[in-house]
Amino acid sequence: GNSVTQMEGPVTLSEEAFLTINCTYTATGYPSLFWYVQYPGEGLQLLLKATKADDKGSNKGFEATYRKETTSFHLEKGSVQVSDSAVYFCALSDIPGGSYIPTFGRGTSLIVHP
Amino acid sequence: DAGITQSPRHKVTETGTPVTLRCHQTENHRYMYWYRQDPGHGLRLIHYSYGVKDTDKGEVSDGYSVSRSKTEDFLLTLESATSSQTSVYFCAITPQGGGTDTQYFGPGTRLTVL
């Protein structure tokens, strides 16, 4: 079956530091890959996505590249801000049996200090 | 904003009582989902629906039932609530259920079973 593995958190950084959150996946087909972000007290919202190998998704200074050869989709940001403090979820989509069932990682908490 | 609301937003109930959570969407999207979120487990799929009266089980469906009699409403019922069902419950939709679709999440319902 499909699976998504993320690095465990919390990840604690100082403002303006470089961020990497690792994500690897296992899938039988050719999934799309996503990063979602969850701010405190809210539901998840899409941060970025990539739909095929070598695609790069980007949004709000965050980037991730779909690497089929290493089955990875690592999230990066060059300079984090306190407002980036949140939980980040890596996810993949697949359509087993014709129904759209996303698979989520367990989430990585990011804490950014001033 | 995909126009998703959840009700109630908070609920405290006692063991053995029935509980129904409601998810309402305004955009007539086809796919709707119920997840629970617990520390250390990330998001786990309970049930999903791919149309009116068309539902299927997710990975943690025991103790839960769902109904979808109208496109816009997806109800989650705990027939006899247990303390292990204390969690935050999220409803989500995908517009068409295609492999590149983004999921849109509601704001969540925090349920406490005493």
Side-chain angles (χ1 to χ4, degrees), chain B residues 58-95:
Chain B
E59 64 177 299
V60 290
S61 58
D62 286 349
Y64 301 94
S65 62
V66 291
S67 66
R68 193 172 179 195
S69 58
K70 298 184 291 185
T71 300
E72 58 265 36
D73 289 325
F74 192 33
L75 304 180
L76 177 70
T77 297
L78 291 66
E79 302 289 349
S80 178
T82 68
S83 58
S84 65
Q85 294 175 312
T86 292
S87 187
V88 181
Y89 291 84
F90 287 98
C91 175
I93 63 96
T94 54

Side-chain angles (χ1 to χ4, degrees), chain A residues 98, chain B residues 25 28-32 49-52 68 71 94-97:
Chain B
Q25 56 141 331
N28 289 323
H29 294 306
R30 181 182 175 196
Y31 279 81
M32 300 184 75
S49 170
Y50 46 95
V52 173
R68 193 172 179 195
T71 300
T94 54
Q96 295 297 325

Side-chain angles (χ1 to χ4, degrees), chain A residues 97-109:
Chain A
S99 288
Y100 181 79
I101 307 295
T103 301
F104 286 87
R106 293 191 175 187
T108 302
S109 175

Side-chain angles (χ1 to χ4, degrees), chain B residues 17-36:
Chain B
T17 60
V19 176
T20 295
L21 308 182
R22 179 180 184 239
C23 177
H24 178 79
Q25 56 141 331
T26 59
E27 304 291 331
N28 289 323
H29 294 306
R30 181 182 175 196
Y31 279 81
M32 300 184 75
Y33 307 78
W34 277 108
Y35 292 93
R36 60 178 290 174

Side-chain angles (χ1 to χ4, degrees), chain A residues 14-68:
Chain A
S14 297
E15 206 164 25
E16 299 183 5
F18 184 86
L19 168 70
T20 300
I21 300 179
N22 290 336
C23 171
T24 57
Y25 68 90
T26 302
T28 53
Y30 300 92
S32 293
L33 300 175
F34 304 80
W35 278 101
Y36 289 87
V37 59
Q38 183 181 32
Y39 299 104
E42 298 183 8
L44 280 70
Q45 57 186 276
L46 179 71
L47 180 60
L48 54 84
K49 70 178 184 183
T51 59
K52 61 183 187 298
D54 299 325
D55 270 2
K56 177 186 285 188
S58 61
N59 186 26
K60 300 181 182 179
F62 291 89
E63 294 182 339
T65 301
Y66 188 159
R67 301 286 189 198
K68 191 168 184 297

Side-chain angles (χ1 to χ4, degrees), chain A residues 72-83:
Chain A
S72 64
F73 193 55
H74 304 321
L75 182 67
E76 297 181 335
K77 187 175 186 183
S79 176
V80 295
Q81 306 300 312
V82 173
S83 57

